[in-house]
Amino acid sequence: MSTSTAVANKTAVITGSNSGIGLGVARELAKAGANVVLNSFTDREEDHALAAEIAKEFGVKATYVAADMSKAEDCRRLITDAGACDILINNAGIQHVAPIDEFPTAKWDAIIAINLSSAFHTTAAALPGMRAAGWGRIINIASAHGLTASPYKSAYVAAKHGIVGMTKTVALETAEEPITANAICPGYVLTPLVEAQIPDTMKEYDMSREDVIKNVMLKRQPSKEFATVEQLGGTAVFLASDAAAQITGTTISVDGGWTAL
Ligand code: NAD
């Protein structure tokens, strides 16, 4: 059985999917035949156009729902507005880097809300529908920082460890049902989120862009290569497949060996 059999004609809701990993995952799921619901809070013309492009390219249904993942009611409304949610990809995330004693409280609150609490709300809202349909996949985009820490990323590391813990709990609560919950833990992927960290790091270490990429970012990634959004998407397609039906409550690292160190 091909890995994508279970994915075809299912509806996947991907939070934070107008760029980066979320968009990559949405495209790979659509390529495997899933209908996709894109999301961000921006609600621009180009966000809706992205959905239309995916529908055209892969011959699936693709829509865009604006919802702010920092707000509990928006997270729950996203699932209602999606119309169906067989595959839930909790991906929306932001980053802020500062020593803990200088870390702005508002940034801490926003990171915990968007990177962690949103997944609580969407999961709670999506589970009844998955139970009614008799099938479901919950895939949380955590991070290597869900398994290890780095200085100056207290909120991000706390949120990502939190989402790994929540994934295990959801897996236990659904263990006897045809529903799985897993987390993907990427190492560095060159997305807008990572691009935005490069100028500050260049200043902080007085380094060139190339040196920051090689000697700071990829220092902990033994492969010395960024993971790609297509690789993350392929991992999500696998976790949604029949082959992965007994994989639940675990993490899959896509980190070039980072967490093997
Ligand atoms: P990105 O900045 O390209 O994408 C983030 C997405 O989240 C965007 O689509 C953005 O619109 C959305 N988003 C942000 N705030 C939102 C809000 N309030 N409501 C709705 N959507 C919102 O970043 P990315 O690198 O693709 O990150 C995606 C996920 O992958 C994040 O959870 C991030 O922590 C995780 N991750 C990224 C890396 C990496 O190296 N890029 C590594 C490990 C984990």
Side-chain angles (χ1 to χ4, degrees), residues 16-22 39-41 67-70 91-94 114 141-143 156 160 186-189 191-194:
S17 45
N18 66 345
S19 80
I21 293 172
N39 154 261
S40 69
F41 63 90
D68 184 344
M69 292 301 102
S70 69
N91 168 79
I94 58 167
I114 296 166
I141 307 299
S143 168
Y156 189 85
K160 294 299 186 182
Y188 271 111
V189 188
T191 64
L193 181 141
V194 169

Side-chain angles (χ1 to χ4, degrees), residues 145-213:
H145 283 118
L147 305 168
T148 63
S150 292
Y152 315 127
K153 295 186 175 177
S154 53
Y156 189 85
V157 170
K160 294 299 186 182
H161 276 68
I163 205 164
V164 168
M166 196 188 76
T167 304
K168 294 178 189 175
T169 304
V170 174
L172 293 180
E173 292 185 19
T174 56
E176 293 184 32
E177 303 172 81
I179 296 170
T180 66
N182 293 289
I184 298 176
C185 293
Y188 271 111
V189 188
L190 194 54
T191 64
L193 181 141
V194 169
E195 270 294 345
Q197 295 175 46
I198 294 176
D200 281 352
T201 317
M202 283 169 65
K203 248 188 260 159
E204 193 180 330
Y205 292 100
D206 192 20
M207 276 181 178
S208 68
R209 179 185 163 86
E210 291 66 35
D211 281 347
V212 163
I213 290 175

Side-chain angles (χ1 to χ4, degrees), residues 86-261:
D86 305 301
I87 302 166
L88 172 62
I89 313 280
N90 286 306
N91 168 79
I94 58 167
Q95 175 65 287
H96 185 78
V97 179
I100 194 158
D101 50 334
E102 294 169 18
F103 211 95
T105 301
K107 289 282 183 198
W108 170 277
D109 289 344
I111 289 174
I112 298 299
I114 296 166
N115 298 23
L116 176 59
S117 302
S118 70
F120 158 68
H121 296 296
T122 55
T123 300
L127 262 180
M130 290 179 179
R131 287 185 165 130
W135 193 90
R137 294 286 190 268
I138 297 161
I139 301 169
N140 296 322
I141 307 299
S143 168
H145 283 118
L147 305 168
T148 63
S150 292
Y152 315 127
K153 295 186 175 177
S154 53
Y156 189 85
V157 170
K160 294 299 186 182
H161 276 68
I163 205 164
V164 168
M166 196 188 76
T167 304
K168 294 178 189 175
T169 304
V170 174
L172 293 180
E173 292 185 19
T174 56
E176 293 184 32
E177 303 172 81
I179 296 170
T180 66
N182 293 289
I184 298 176
C185 293
Y188 271 111
V189 188
L190 194 54
T191 64
L193 181 141
V194 169
E195 270 294 345
Q197 295 175 46
I198 294 176
D200 281 352
T201 317
M202 283 169 65
K203 248 188 260 159
E204 193 180 330
Y205 292 100
D206 192 20
M207 276 181 178
S208 68
R209 179 185 163 86
E210 291 66 35
D211 281 347
V212 163
I213 290 175
K214 196 166 156 235
N215 300 321
V216 180
M217 292 189 155
L218 297 181
K219 192 173 167 198
R220 291 176 72 181
Q221 200 144 305
S223 67
K224 299 290 171 218
E225 280 183 34
F226 285 111
T228 68
V229 299
E230 290 79 12
Q231 290 161 355
L232 272 311
T235 308
V237 170
F238 167 67
L239 283 174
S241 75
D242 291 336
Q246 282 300 313
I247 299 177
T248 195
T250 195
T251 57
I252 296 191
S253 291
V254 184
D255 67 1
W258 178 333
T259 44
L261 277 175

